[in-house]
Each structure stands twice: as structure tokens, then as C-alpha cells.
Amino acid sequence: MQWESHIDSITKKASKTLGFVRRNLKIGNKKAKETAYKDLVRPLLEYAATVWDPYTANEIEALQKIQRRAARWVSNRHRQTLCVDSILDSLNWPSLQQRRKKARLEMFYKFHHGLISINSTYLPKPSDSRLRSKTNNDLSYDIPTCTTRYRQMTFFPRTIPEWNKLPQEVVTAEDETLSH
């Protein structure tokens, strides 16, 4: 099972939406442009991304390319010689990959604390307390063994090592702190 066609569909839809917004929002107001991008385009790039989060460089780049085009438009800096990373930094926009990682960790937090139910035969098991010396928190999980790269990049095998590296105060934080 590959996500390439799904990601291709998402990028095409987001690109068309960004083009529509750019053609129809003919104002110089940076805040209005940023709001339009964040409300109309970025949700297309992130909807249910905890499930299909890409791991290949081509797929990651295809999604990020849309955000880079939006950053140039929002900041009104279209010259190709300008570094888009500096534009993204000035807008204080994290990469879509960073946002997907945060969303995966938030989803795992909700799973761990019983705020959501996931029906799966592959539910992770909490680590044995004797083996927790390699983790940063007491709520760590065993990392599932995977024989294929595809399985290794699915939600639980990919998220658990990141969860295990989180500090104790983050994994035990109250739910309200997730939104901050």
C-alpha cells in the first residue's frame, strides 16, 4: 500500500485552491493572505495526516512546495533568488513535516490517555519498567518490530520512538496544554 497517489491528489487540490485564492484575493494585506492560506489551503495538506504522513523525500517535498509558494505570495516576495526558508522563518511557519510530527504525537497522547479509541490488532504495549532506562519518561512503549520499510513508517512504529524521547512532564501533562 502506497500513499503516492493520495499525496498527488492532495497536492493538486491544494495547488488549485492556492491558485484560486491568489487570483481572487488581490489585496496587499499580509494578515488576510496568511489567514486565507491557513484556512483554505493548509487544511487540505494536513487532513488526516497522522494516517498518511509521508516518509519519502519526494512526497515530503511535494507537500512542502505548496507551503513555499504560499509563503512567497503571503510575504509578496516572488523573486526566485530569495531563500524561501528565511521567508518561512519570518512568517513563523514551521514546516509541514514538523506540524505532522506534532499531530502524530498529539494523537498518540490521546491514545495513551484513553481520549480516543483505536481498533487495531497492532496496539502497542507499554515497556517493561526494567527496560525504560533508554527512554525519557515512565510512560514509554515497546517499539514494534517491522520487517518492511512501509510498516516501519506507519503510525505506531514511527511515533513510539518519538513518544519515548519526550520528557516526563510532556507525556503526563493535562489535556488542556495540548492546545498551547
Side-chain angles (χ1 to χ4, degrees):
M1 188 172 169
Q2 300 291 324
W3 291 103
E4 189 175 331
S5 62
H6 179 72
I7 291 170
D8 186 47
S9 171
I10 289 169
T11 56
K12 284 179 182 174
K13 187 172 184 177
S15 185
K16 286 179 183 178
T17 304
L18 179 59
F20 175 82
V21 170
R22 287 173 62 181
R23 285 188 307 276
N24 290 290
L25 192 59
K26 298 283 187 189
I27 59 172
N29 185 326
K30 184 176 174 180
K31 193 67 178 164
K33 289 178 175 182
E34 185 172 10
T35 300
Y37 166 70
K38 288 181 176 180
D39 290 350
L40 300 172
V41 180
R42 193 161 68 184
L44 299 173
L45 298 170
E46 294 181 333
Y47 180 74
T50 54
V51 175
W52 56 262
D53 187 11
Y55 62 92
T56 66
N58 288 346
E59 292 170 344
I60 292 167
E61 180 60 27
L63 294 165
Q64 192 62 26
K65 195 181 289 187
I66 306 293
Q67 177 155 289
R68 284 208 258 313
R69 281 188 24 229
R72 286 186 184 281
W73 171 66
V74 166
S75 64
N76 204 29
R77 298 165 82 187
H78 300 283
R79 197 172 331 141
Q80 294 297 322
T81 57
L82 294 173
C83 176
V84 183
D85 290 334
S86 65
I87 296 171
L88 289 168
D89 287 342
S90 71
L91 291 169
N92 200 24
W93 290 0
S95 73
L96 295 175
Q97 189 173 14
Q98 291 169 317
R99 289 178 56 81
R100 288 190 302 272
K101 178 181 177 180
K102 182 181 179 211
R104 280 189 294 108
L105 287 167
E106 288 174 351
M107 182 67 72
F108 196 89
Y109 175 95
K110 290 174 184 178
F111 160 76
H112 173 80
H113 290 283
L115 301 173
I116 59 168
S117 176
I118 298 176
N119 295 327
S120 174
T121 57
Y122 301 108
L123 291 179
K125 309 257 185 290
S127 291
D128 186 340
S129 61
R130 294 170 292 159
L131 304 174
R132 288 190 184 142
S133 61
K134 296 180 181 177
T135 67
N136 292 345
N137 65 68
D138 293 337
L139 302 177
S140 62
Y141 282 79
D142 290 334
I143 301 169
T145 55
C146 306
T147 56
T148 63
R149 177 91 171 131
Y150 172 74
R151 170 75 174 115
Q152 184 180 17
M153 290 298 153
T154 58
F155 178 75
F156 284 123
R158 189 173 185 185
T159 308
I160 289 173
E162 296 164 342
W163 172 266
N164 290 347
K165 290 177 188 173
L166 291 175
Q168 183 74 22
E169 59 272 8
V170 173
V171 298
T172 58
E174 293 296 319
D175 186 32
E176 297 86 39
T177 61
L178 282 177
S179 60
H180 298 293

